[in-house]
Amino acid sequence: MPKRSQPEPKESTPAHHNGPAATLRQGNLKCVIWRNQGERGAWYNAELVRTFKDESGYHDTNKIPADDLLRVAFLAQQAFGKVQELRAVDREASNSDGSDEPAPY
């Protein structure tokens, strides 16, 4: 039997500032990355959800079936990489304002 390749997660980044910093998808799983700003700088949170459909429409839940845990791990690894990219952008932006200090995390 041929080996199935792991699909790449879909990624989207909205253009407005009030929404998520990024959304990564892997089938019916998604990881929404939120950027927060405080006195000490920016920090990120991730929200992992599974989308399902029932008779009343589409819904998100944080309950993940055990059979999906490997896909969750794959998605979490991708989200970790995305957060590192977002932090690098934050550092570049803070350094371009004339400051030589890195952004605090």
Side-chain angles (χ1 to χ4, degrees), residues 4-56:
R4 291 176 20 187
S5 63
Q6 184 70 28
E8 289 296 316
K10 296 178 184 174
E11 179 181 332
S12 64
T13 304
H16 55 86
H17 297 287
N18 294 331
T23 301
L24 300 156
R25 294 183 180 272
Q26 222 286 324
N28 65 333
L29 299 174
K30 70 179 172 182
C31 184
V32 182
I33 300 170
W34 298 93
R35 183 180 190 275
N36 300 282
Q37 185 68 40
E39 291 178 10
R40 297 180 61 202
W43 76 93
Y44 293 88
N45 289 323
E47 178 183 14
L48 181 66
V49 296
R50 178 178 60 92
T51 301
F52 68 95
K53 183 179 179 184
D54 65 12
E55 58 278 346
S56 64

Side-chain angles (χ1 to χ4, degrees), residues 52-83:
F52 68 95
K53 183 179 179 184
D54 65 12
E55 58 278 346
S56 64
Y58 287 96
H59 308 280
D60 285 343
T61 181
N62 61 353
K63 296 180 182 190
I64 308 294
D67 290 345
D68 286 340
L69 290 176
L70 284 176
R71 289 191 319 128
V72 167
F74 176 74
L75 188 58
Q77 185 177 22
Q78 298 300 311
F80 180 81
K82 184 63 177 178
V83 168

Side-chain angles (χ1 to χ4, degrees), residues 78-100:
Q78 298 300 311
F80 180 81
K82 184 63 177 178
V83 168
Q84 299 312 306
E85 290 176 18
L86 293 167
R87 286 179 173 164
V89 170
D90 289 344
R91 280 191 302 272
E92 286 180 26
S94 70
N95 288 339
S96 69
D97 67 8
S99 169
D100 289 332

